[in-house]
Amino acid sequence: MSEEAAGARGRVLVVGATGRLGGSLARASLAAGHPTFALVRPHRLARPDSPSLRALVAAGATLVEGSLEDYQSLLKAVRQVDVVICAEPTKQALEQKPLIRAIKEAGCVKRFIPSEFGLDPTKVQIGDMAYGFYEKKIEIRHLIETEGIPHTYICCNFFMRYLLPSLVQPGLNAPPRDEMKIFGEGNTKGVFVKEGDVAQFTICTIEDTRTLNQTLYLRPPGNICSMNELADLWEMKINKSLKKIYITEEQLLKEIVDAPFPLKMDLIFIYSAFVKGDHTYFEIDLLSEGTQLYPHVKYTTVGEYLDTLV
């Protein structure tokens, strides 16, 4: 039996709650009945009418002043809760170090969910190409485990709002209507999950003993697609055939070398997912996969998402 069945819902602190993912996490936490606190920087609290803060307060969140740069504010916030979830961007991943220190000192946190929410950094095969993107996450994992912090890692692969709105066509803001680039042979599968769904699955884990000190993978059926499958799906929806332009692995690697930032990173992540197969090349235990553990969570499929783009 999960801990949540044994009593009142745990108190949750969301760090980064004014961001898209953080806001989704706070709302999902509140919807699940958890008293939910949002760590908000002083300069943001000075503008209480901002849409992100208004939305949090309207949903029932308690705003707590503090920041990752102010250790005492972190410690004070952490001491009020049972669960800490961090949704800071990956480029700020190492800024979680004081937060981990505060969790260790406070001694009351039963679960920490660090800012991962992407590919499993320990499984990525292109780490040496990614400009330290995954090394930071691995460093944070090592610190969490060294300090003995109870944790769950969430590996959800791509958010739907990244790459999917263009059907994985870098530089486009909408799906193609005439021709489509297919990277590699087009059969390697990537995974897309909507942010709000990631948040719901995440909140399901926080008082579940099955996910304690484990990794939760999200590979929802209907959200695991190759580029060829994406093209077929889109052609059916627009009732039109697309011209397919196949970009070989060698061509893509050359494009990566020549591309400026941030296009370079988009191409690296495409190479990782749809050529090297970093989302799906490895097997996972069914008891590590979100839709298997939490079949009640209703999630948006890739097909349903594409319906909104037609």
Side-chain angles (χ1 to χ4, degrees):
M1 183 176 72
S2 65
E3 290 174 14
E4 69 182 43
R9 294 286 183 150
R11 296 153 72 88
V12 176
L13 174 69
V14 179
V15 179
T18 55
R20 285 199 213 185
L21 175 61
S24 294
L25 286 161
R27 290 189 293 275
S29 174
L30 288 159
H34 295 279
T36 303
F37 300 76
L39 190 76
V40 182
R41 294 172 182 270
H43 73 273
R44 282 190 177 273
L45 270 181
R47 292 180 285 126
D49 285 341
S50 71
S52 56
L53 291 190
R54 280 209 313 268
L56 287 169
V57 171
T62 300
L63 305 184
V64 179
E65 184 174 327
S67 75
L68 292 173
E69 293 82 33
D70 181 349
Y71 182 74
Q72 290 306 316
S73 73
L74 281 181
L75 189 57
K76 183 178 178 182
V78 165
R79 281 178 167 152
Q80 300 179 60
V81 300
D82 309 292
V83 176
V84 177
I85 305 174
C86 188
E88 290 291 315
T90 295
K91 63 185 178 183
Q92 295 164 235
L94 296 182
E95 293 176 23
Q96 295 175 98
K97 288 183 176 183
L99 180 59
I100 293 167
R101 185 175 140 217
I103 290 169
K104 179 76 171 178
E105 183 174 340
C108 58
V109 172
K110 301 185 178 104
R111 192 79 58 106
F112 175 46
I113 297 180
S115 188
E116 286 223 356
F117 302 106
L119 284 66
D120 184 336
T122 68
K123 304 287 189 186
V124 169
Q125 302 170 95
I126 55 92
D128 57 335
M129 294 174 63
Y131 296 89
F133 190 87
Y134 298 106
E135 290 170 6
K136 296 172 186 174
K137 294 182 176 184
I138 291 171
E139 185 175 340
I140 289 298
R141 280 192 179 198
H142 180 70
L143 182 58
I144 288 167
E145 290 162 22
T146 299
E147 294 293 348
I149 305 291
H151 61 271
T152 301
Y153 304 133
I154 308 293
C155 294
C156 61
N157 301 298
F158 284 156
F159 292 135
M160 281 185 170
R161 67 176 168 87
Y162 179 66
L163 294 177
L164 192 56
S166 70
L167 231 62
V168 195
Q169 305 298 292
L172 294 188
N173 296 318
R177 299 278 170 167
D178 299 305
E179 63 180 38
M180 176 177 173
K181 287 182 179 179
I182 306 282
F183 296 97
E185 295 180 358
N187 298 319
T188 304
K189 295 177 186 285
V191 183
F192 295 93
V193 190
K194 199 170 182 180
E195 254 157 330
D197 300 337
V198 173
Q200 284 194 71
F201 283 114
T202 299
I203 297 304
C204 287
T205 70
I206 61 178
E207 291 179 334
D208 187 346
T209 54
R210 297 173 298 179
T211 57
L212 181 61
N213 299 331
Q214 302 293 325
T215 298
L216 183 83
Y217 294 97
L218 293 181
R219 292 185 186 176
N223 294 40
I224 308 167
C225 295
S226 69
M227 290 204 70
N228 285 331
E229 288 169 336
L230 281 176
D232 291 345
L233 195 55
W234 185 239
E235 286 176 333
M236 281 194 298
K237 292 188 183 299
I238 63 173
N239 196 27
K240 181 182 178 183
S241 293
L242 298 172
K243 178 185 177 184
K244 319 289 194 317
I245 302 168
Y246 283 84
I247 308 296
T248 67
E249 179 174 354
E250 291 72 25
Q251 287 174 308
L252 178 54
L253 287 170
K254 184 177 186 308
E255 282 191 36
I256 289 170
V257 170
D258 296 340
F261 289 97
L263 174 60
K264 186 187 291 284
M265 294 308 294
D266 291 342
L267 293 172
I268 288 170
F269 293 141
I270 289 169
Y271 178 67
S272 168
F274 293 106
V275 176
K276 299 300 288 182
D278 282 346
H279 292 193
T280 53
Y281 80 87
F282 57 97
E283 296 292 323
I284 56 172
D285 187 320
L286 286 179
L287 291 178
S288 298
E289 201 283 313
T291 62
Q292 297 291 323
L293 283 177
Y294 312 112
H296 65 281
V297 175
K298 304 298 181 192
Y299 60 88
T300 300
T301 66
V302 165
E304 289 166 344
Y305 183 83
L306 292 183
D307 284 338
T308 68
L309 305 177
V310 174

